Amino acid sequence: MILCDLCIKEILIGNRPGTHFKREGWVKIVNNFEKETGKPYTQKQLKNRWDLLKKEWKLWKKLKEKDTGLGWNPIKGTVDASDDWWESRLKVVPEAQRFRLAGIDPELEDKLDQMFKGIVATGDKAWAPSSGIMPTDFIEHGYNETLEEIEEENEVEVVPMLRHPILKNEKKKSSKQIGGAAKLSLQIDKLCNTAESMSNATSRLNPVTDPFGIPKAYKVLEELSEEVPETSDLYFFALKLIANKDKRTLFLTIPDRVRVWWLTKEMEDSSKLTSLLVP
């Protein structure tokens, strides 16, 4: 949970502009994780944990697929579903068998959603971060890898709106590697074309200029640093809260003098609800 909260914080303040954290973001995550836990883990160790969480989250989403209305059974520690549902889904996703005894609880799932939604493909019709829709020809040709996987496997940094990847390390390529690079170039070209075609629409929704966007809410939260210090539980709760559009709008609308009180009440109500769900 601590690692998730730290990652979400860096995402909200813009230290993961694409699919990877900036160097500055990782430095903060490593340092703050040691402060919170007393454990001096390296960036590589925390990145391995990030990758494992991403893999588990992706499998969990694949298991539930479109059954988003499933409840949570705190006694069983997994989704509240019938034996028939489990038998049906496990035929499709047999590797998710372990979730029948121990699933991902709603609080953790919400955090993982904030961390991975938009950079991970979770189904046959995976979508690109820059738009809500993946082009049909992109799907038909099987180009539904995540941007993060493309970057890692080909040692490139995907830069938005550029036509070609920037190679991190210039190496002599074999004929097989050249073929892979050509495929990568085609993928990026298609993605860039989609981004360009939607640029006018998305510019109107630029979160930087949105008076009720996440950057604005984060800036207001930072102004409350004396009453809501970064190391407090209330601060991490607030980061999670402002990810919710309705809650964020209310947070930015109410008078300054009652914001801390409102955040405190929201956290207390959330804790009460959690205590009712957990035996």
Side-chain angles (χ1 to χ4, degrees):
M1 286 292 192
I2 292 175
L3 177 59
C4 290
D5 287 334
L6 293 174
C7 289
I8 291 170
K9 176 184 175 182
E10 295 307 312
I11 291 170
L12 291 177
I13 64 177
N15 278 332
R16 192 199 65 188
T19 60
H20 285 173
F21 284 106
K22 296 178 181 177
R23 185 179 300 277
E24 175 188 355
W26 271 120
V27 169
K28 289 183 177 180
I29 291 171
V30 171
N31 291 339
N32 288 329
F33 187 84
E34 183 174 358
K35 288 179 182 178
E36 291 287 323
T37 66
K39 299 177 180 179
Y41 287 169
T42 64
Q43 175 182 329
K44 183 177 180 180
Q45 288 175 306
L46 295 181
K47 177 61 166 61
N48 287 341
R49 183 60 180 171
W50 165 280
D51 291 340
L52 178 60
L53 288 170
K54 180 177 66 176
K55 182 178 179 181
E56 292 293 287
W57 173 84
K58 188 175 180 180
L59 182 60
W60 178 249
K61 291 295 186 182
K62 187 177 181 181
L63 171 68
K64 296 199 304 178
E65 205 174 37
K66 298 179 181 179
D67 297 327
T68 55
L70 291 172
W72 178 259
N73 189 320
I75 297 176
K76 293 182 178 180
T78 191
V79 291
D80 193 7
S82 66
D83 290 339
D84 289 341
W85 182 90
W86 277 107
E87 290 173 8
S88 173
R89 291 305 302 151
L90 290 178
K91 288 180 181 178
V92 180
V93 196
E95 62 271 28
Q97 175 67 43
R98 60 182 177 278
F99 289 138
R100 191 165 188 173
L101 299 177
I104 298 177
D105 69 72
E107 181 182 2
L108 178 57
E109 182 177 5
D110 181 65
K111 293 179 187 292
L112 297 179
D113 285 348
Q114 295 179 63
M115 292 161 63
F116 302 126
K117 267 188 176 178
I119 67 168
V120 177
T122 58
D124 292 336
K125 294 189 177 182
W127 53 279
S130 60
S131 69
I133 305 171
M134 176 66 81
T136 302
D137 60 341
F138 210 80
I139 298 168
E140 289 176 350
H141 288 85
Y143 303 133
N144 65 344
E145 297 98 332
T146 71
L147 289 179
E148 190 166 9
E149 288 167 350
I150 292 173
E151 288 179 351
E152 290 176 350
E153 291 175 5
N154 296 277
E155 294 186 318
V156 301
E157 178 183 358
V158 176
V159 181
M161 306 310 294
L162 292 184
R163 289 292 185 177
H164 301 288
I166 298 175
L167 297 181
K168 293 182 178 178
N169 296 305
E170 291 291 344
K171 297 179 180 179
K172 185 176 180 180
K173 303 293 183 179
S174 66
S175 59
K176 182 178 181 181
Q177 289 174 315
I178 293 173
K183 177 184 175 183
L184 173 65
S185 179
L186 177 60
Q187 291 172 322
I188 294 175
D189 280 346
K190 286 178 176 290
L191 184 60
C192 288
N193 287 336
T194 303
E196 289 175 350
S197 68
M198 297 187 66
S199 60
N200 291 332
T202 56
S203 64
R204 294 195 299 269
L205 302 175
N206 189 341
V208 175
T209 59
D210 184 357
F212 295 102
I214 288 177
K216 174 64 176 177
Y218 176 76
K219 182 178 180 181
V220 172
L221 180 60
E222 288 296 287
E223 293 171 356
L224 303 174
S225 58
E226 290 187 7
E227 299 167 276
V228 188
E230 290 188 359
T231 56
S232 67
D233 291 338
L234 183 58
Y235 181 83
F236 284 117
F237 175 81
L239 286 177
K240 176 181 176 182
L241 193 72
I242 63 177
N244 180 291
K245 182 179 180 181
D246 292 336
K247 297 288 187 181
R248 181 173 68 251
T249 301
L250 182 57
F251 172 71
L252 292 171
T253 303
I254 60 178
D256 295 348
R257 63 181 181 276
V258 299
R259 282 193 176 118
V260 175
W261 173 84
W262 180 75
L263 286 174
T264 303
K265 293 294 294 181
E266 285 288 324
M267 187 170 73
E268 290 175 354
D269 291 345
S270 178
S271 298
K272 289 178 182 177
L273 179 61
T274 301
S275 64
L276 291 174
L277 295 175
V278 179

